[in-house]
């Protein structure tokens, strides 16, 4: 009887309700191992701590629009352990804010790809919400995936390279078509053009993957 009562206490019900009630979102906080905050300035999303990062604005707008239009498909009631659904203190937490600092928080739980479902806690709801695949994949995106990283390294022409090894720093400098190693030996040394060309071309060819 006790087993029967425990099993039947947890109920999964179909329930359709909006995920987000905010009409406008102007700030997003992603809190995992670190906190990443994206702020909307006019129509542009930026990371105030790393202003040099360029974010994919269209992807972010789609992310926000999908969140605002998304609905649950089910709710889990009377769950004895939220950790069974992947929800704990270690879970990714997403908090969205409007211009009036009103906020909503989502704790992201387990994504069961076979069932196309994601479990999450919305604000302080007692029930665990279940959302379908489209929103699930959207919410599981980490903030750094929105960064456009292929243009972070732009070097048209290398004229000086500074290298630090242990506590020793030296420079390779181009002067009048020749490359010189400075601050390493007592007098500057000339480097071969072929060696420098190989080196600088490798640097310019670097591609970021994430």
């Amino acid at each position: 009887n006790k087993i029967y009562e425990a099993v039947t206490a947890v109920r999964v019900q179909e329930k359709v309700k909006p995920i987000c009630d905010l009409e406008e979102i102007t700030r997003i906080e992603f809190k995992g191992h670190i906190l990443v905050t994206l702020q909307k300035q006019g129509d542009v999303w930026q990371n105030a701590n790393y202003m040099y990062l360029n974010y994919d604005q269209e992807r972010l707008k789609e992310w926000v629009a999908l969140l605002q239009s998304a609905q649950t498909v089910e709710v889990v009631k009377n769950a004895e352990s939220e950790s069974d659904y992947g929800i704990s203190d270690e879970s990714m937490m997403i908090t969205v804010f409007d211009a009036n600092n009103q906020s909503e928080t989502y704790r992201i739980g387990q994504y069961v790809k076979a069932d196309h479902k994601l479990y999450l806690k919305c604000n302080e709801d007692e029930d665990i919400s279940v959302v379908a695949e489209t929103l699930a994949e959207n919410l599981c995106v980490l903030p750094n995936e929105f960064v456009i990283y292929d243009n972070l390294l732009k070097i048209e022409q290398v004229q000086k390279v500074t290298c630090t090894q242990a506590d020793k720093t030296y420079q390779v400098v181009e002067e009048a078509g020749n490359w010189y190693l400075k601050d390493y030996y007592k007098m500057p040394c000339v480097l071969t053009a072929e060696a420098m060309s190989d080196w600088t071309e490798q640097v310019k060819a670097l591609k970021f993957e994430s």
Side-chain angles (χ1 to χ4, degrees):
N1 288 336
K2 288 182 179 179
I3 294 174
Y4 176 79
E5 289 171 4
V7 170
T8 56
V10 177
R11 299 199 312 275
V12 178
Q13 298 178 343
E14 290 187 6
K15 186 172 183 179
V16 177
K17 66 172 185 177
I19 293 292
C20 178
D21 292 324
L22 298 181
E23 294 183 3
E24 183 186 15
I25 294 176
T26 59
R27 188 165 94 246
I28 310 168
E29 291 183 355
F30 299 86
K31 187 176 182 181
H33 297 298
I34 59 172
L35 175 65
V36 177
T37 302
L38 302 182
Q39 185 83 35
K40 192 176 181 183
Q41 302 290 343
D43 288 330
V44 178
W45 287 95
Q46 296 176 323
N47 186 329
N49 293 323
Y50 304 97
M51 295 296 290
Y52 64 88
L53 290 178
N54 182 25
Y55 285 83
D56 189 330
Q57 301 299 318
E58 290 304 315
R59 279 193 68 191
L60 272 168
K61 289 176 184 176
E62 290 173 4
W63 189 95
V64 170
L66 185 56
L67 179 65
Q68 289 178 307
S69 63
Q71 296 178 324
T72 62
V73 292
E74 294 174 346
V75 293
V76 179
K77 293 181 173 292
N78 305 326
E80 287 190 11
S81 174
E82 293 181 351
S83 62
D84 291 341
Y85 301 90
I87 298 170
S88 67
D89 292 338
E90 302 299 318
S91 299
M92 166 69 80
M93 190 163 63
I94 299 174
T95 305
V96 292
F97 300 81
D98 65 10
N100 297 319
N101 217 33
Q102 304 251 0
S103 66
E104 294 188 354
T105 298
Y106 317 103
R107 289 165 61 198
I108 310 302
Q110 185 179 8
Y111 178 26
V112 184
K113 289 190 176 182
D115 296 332
H116 310 294
K117 293 178 180 178
L118 172 72
Y119 297 97
L120 71 152
K121 284 291 289 283
C122 299
N123 299 310
E124 299 301 322
D125 289 353
E126 293 184 4
D127 301 333
I128 296 174
S129 296
V130 183
V131 297
E133 184 174 24
T134 303
L135 180 62
E137 293 181 347
N138 201 52
L139 287 179
C140 288
V141 173
L142 297 175
N144 285 352
E145 294 183 39
F146 293 114
V147 175
I148 299 175
Y149 49 79
D150 58 358
N151 63 349
L152 286 180
L153 184 64
K154 284 188 175 179
I155 303 175
E156 298 298 332
Q157 184 177 1
V158 178
Q159 292 181 308
K160 181 172 72 173
V161 180
T162 301
C163 300
T164 301
Q165 186 174 14
D167 58 348
K168 184 78 173 177
T169 298
Y170 57 93
Q171 291 186 343
V172 179
V173 181
E174 182 188 25
E175 293 179 356
N178 293 319
W179 287 94
Y180 295 90
L181 173 61
K182 296 189 174 183
D183 306 323
Y184 192 77
Y185 298 111
K186 289 185 178 180
M187 59 187 299
C189 300
V190 180
L191 303 179
T192 66
E194 293 80 7
M196 281 307 302
S197 177
D198 288 345
W199 190 13
T200 55
E201 288 304 315
Q202 287 184 53
V203 173
K204 289 192 287 186
L206 287 174
K207 300 293 183 184
F208 288 97
E209 294 182 354
S210 63

